[in-house]
């Protein structure tokens, strides 16, 4: 083996890419993926990086991924960190953006690429997009340019904690509407150097997540917030509020603010995100967002809901004091928001 050959660890967690048709629809099948990989000529060429596959048991549809599996992926990367140059996490598309965001916070001072990918069509079917996604992800995971958690899909490399699943049926399922693509994989792999995260000072460290009670609340016209009062109790550590436009909520004749105020007084960290995939929260631009400022809610700026959820888990697992969590929630930690 050539001494400079890069080593990539692929971690298969489940998801469409390695699924097979079952009695009740597609389901992950042990070893289906490893067999398919053996037949991918590009991965087995002398010029390809060396790779190994580690398959989780059980394999999951990503709708079943929880904090427990995020920790398992994080631990697997940490345990093999010194032995590989990069990592590819093969994952279902449904919650891939959440896992990408979670790993971006969990893997502190990362100085190697971690690429999440999957497929819309399983490898066992014709026209599977999994082939391109795996081959390019392995090449990207062997790149010296990347030291962050990314998501690769359909020719495009995205920052993991900026990505969101936008389509359930297009092959281009993901985008990062508030951040430039990190690279395009056309005839050449073209990196957008200015968009890449720079290496952080300090040693690599894994921060596992705790199962923190948090919530996501999407406002809609006519929302009867009093119905939510019973769940906005002291037990809830943080809430991501998905508001209209630039951070607006229904104002008059509505019990929203008192409920939010009460939650805030009991230590709950309220983060304001927007229902618009593109653009940022700008609290105070409209009268309908003034109340949120008074209640002490934090602006999530242009963060995705996926990133805000993962960040709440991370910060409450890392810091005991809600005031510290609140302060850091509005700050840019891993390129997840534009301040
Ligand atoms: N339900 C599947 C999953 O998220 C969808 C996919 O992988 O595309 O595991």
């Amino acid at each position: 083996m050539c001494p400079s050959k890069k080593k990539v660890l692929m971690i298969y967690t489940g998801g469409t890419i390695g699924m097979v048709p079952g009695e009740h629809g597609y389901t992950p099948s042990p070893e289906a993926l490893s067999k398919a990989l053996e037949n991918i000529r590009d991965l087995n060429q002398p010029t390809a990086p060396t790779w190994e596959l580690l398959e989780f048991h059980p394999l999951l549809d990503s709708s079943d991924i929880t904090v427990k599996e995020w920790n398992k992926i994080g631990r697997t990367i940490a345990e093999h960190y010194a032995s590989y140059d990069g990592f590819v996490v093969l994952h279902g598309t449904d919650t891939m953006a959440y896992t990408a965001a979670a790993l971006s916070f969990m893997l502190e001072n990362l100085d190697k690429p971690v690429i999440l990918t999957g497929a819309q069509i399983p490898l066992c079917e014709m026209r599977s997009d999994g082939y391109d996604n795996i081959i390019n992800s392995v090449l990207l995971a062997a790149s010296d340019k990347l030291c962050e958690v990314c998501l690769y899909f359909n020719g495009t490399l995205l920052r993991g904690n900026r990505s969101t699943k936008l389509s359930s049926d297009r092959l281009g399922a993901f985008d990062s509407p508030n951040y430039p693509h990190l690279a395009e994989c056309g005839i050449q792999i073209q990196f957008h150097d200015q968009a890449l995260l720079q290496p952080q000072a300090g040693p690599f460290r894994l921060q596992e997540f705790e199962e923190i009670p948090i919530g996501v609340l999407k406002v809609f016209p006519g929302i009867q917030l009093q119905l939510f009062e019973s769940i906005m109790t002291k037990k809830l550590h943080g809430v991501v509020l998905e508001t209209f436009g630039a951070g607006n909520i229904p104002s008059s004749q509505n019990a929203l603010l008192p409920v939010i105020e009460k939650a805030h007084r009991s230590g709950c960290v309220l983060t304001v995100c927007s229902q618009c995939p593109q653009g940022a929260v700008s609290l105070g631009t409209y009268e309908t967002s003034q109340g949120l400022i008074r209640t002490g809610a934090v602006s999530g700026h242009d963060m995705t809901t996926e990133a805000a959820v993962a960040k709440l888990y991370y910060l409450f697992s890392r810091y005991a004091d809600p005031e510290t969590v609140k302060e850091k929630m509005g700050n840019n930690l891993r390129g997840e928001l534009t301040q």
Side-chain angles (χ1 to χ4, degrees):
M1 191 183 80
C2 154
S4 61
K5 230 176 162 193
K6 293 290 184 77
K7 278 184 80 181
V8 173
L9 180 65
M10 279 196 253
I11 302 165
Y12 181 42
T13 65
T16 294
I17 193 160
M19 285 190 183
V20 295
E23 227 178 295
H24 308 289
Y26 283 117
T27 181
S29 166
E31 289 171 34
L33 186 101
S34 59
K35 289 201 185 97
L37 291 186
E38 281 168 24
N39 298 320
I40 304 183
R41 197 200 50 180
D42 289 21
L43 288 182
N44 298 297
Q45 297 209 11
T47 49
T50 304
W51 55 269
E52 271 155 61
L53 177 72
L54 201 152
E55 188 165 294
F56 277 4
H57 298 285
L59 292 168
L60 294 179
D61 184 297
S62 77
S63 310
D64 288 326
I65 295 267
T66 66
V67 167
K68 200 168 124 234
E69 284 76 32
W70 289 346
N71 286 336
K72 186 170 166 186
I73 302 170
R75 272 198 306 271
T76 306
I77 294 174
E79 280 161 16
H80 295 86
Y81 198 71
S83 312
Y84 292 88
D85 299 294
F87 298 86
V88 173
V89 179
L90 299 163
H91 193 286
T93 59
D94 289 344
T95 65
M96 194 186 290
Y98 286 94
T99 300
L103 291 174
S104 79
F105 295 113
M106 191 177 265
L107 304 172
E108 296 180 356
N109 303 322
L110 185 68
D111 63 358
K112 298 180 180 191
V114 173
I115 317 287
L116 281 92
T117 196
Q120 292 281 64
I121 306 173
L123 289 170
C124 68
E125 301 287 6
M126 273 172 75
R127 296 181 56 247
S128 174
D129 51 331
Y131 293 100
D132 169 82
N133 288 346
I134 289 192
I135 294 164
N136 278 305
S137 293
V138 168
L139 294 176
L140 290 162
S143 158
D144 287 325
K145 282 185 177 267
L146 300 169
C147 56
E148 58 179 297
V149 176
C150 311
L151 190 154
Y152 176 81
F153 228 84
N154 195 42
T156 306
L157 186 72
L158 309 173
R159 171 159 300 157
N161 57 29
R162 291 285 197 158
S163 62
T164 191
K165 184 173 178 182
L166 289 178
S167 173
S168 61
D169 55 12
R170 293 204 187 134
L171 298 185
F174 293 89
D175 209 343
S176 56
N178 282 325
Y179 199 74
H181 296 170
L182 302 186
E184 315 290 345
C185 297
I187 291 181
Q188 306 285 341
I189 295 185
Q190 181 103 42
F191 286 97
H192 301 303
D193 290 343
Q194 346 66 265
L196 306 180
L197 218 56
Q198 295 310 305
Q200 305 298 300
F204 169 75
R205 176 181 177 274
L206 173 72
Q207 173 61 55
E208 290 198 28
F209 287 6
E210 284 162 33
E211 291 181 18
I212 308 291
I214 62 169
V216 177
L217 187 56
K218 181 170 185 158
V219 298
F220 55 89
I223 186 170
Q224 296 179 17
L225 244 293
Q226 43 299 12
L227 299 179
F228 294 87
E229 202 168 352
S230 54
I231 58 161
M232 304 273 270
T233 63
K234 275 193 175 153
K235 280 194 194 147
L236 209 54
H237 286 32
V239 171
V240 178
L241 266 181
E242 265 201 16
T243 59
F244 305 130
N248 306 312
I249 54 167
S251 48
S252 57
Q253 321 125 8
N254 195 293
L256 182 51
L257 277 179
V259 173
I260 292 177
E261 254 160 19
K262 200 169 144 200
H264 181 253
R265 274 199 308 275
S266 60
C268 180
V269 174
L270 294 143
T271 306
V272 185
C273 288
S274 174
Q275 292 174 18
C276 300
Q278 199 274 317
V281 162
S282 168
L283 294 181
T285 300
Y286 292 91
E287 212 177 314
T288 43
S289 67
Q290 282 296 343
L292 284 172
I293 301 180
R294 287 197 301 276
T295 60
V298 188
S299 170
H301 304 275
D302 57 357
M303 216 174 2
T304 60
T305 297
E306 293 91 325
V309 164
K311 196 168 172 181
L312 277 176
Y313 277 119
Y314 168 69
L315 291 174
F316 274 109
S317 306
R318 184 86 160 88
Y319 305 97
D321 169 31
E323 276 309 308
T324 310
V325 172
K326 194 176 145 186
E327 185 208 315
K328 294 198 181 284
M329 210 49 209
N331 291 344
N332 174 28
L333 302 182
R334 306 276 195 279
E336 75 282 8
L337 59 81
T338 319
Q339 237 157 339

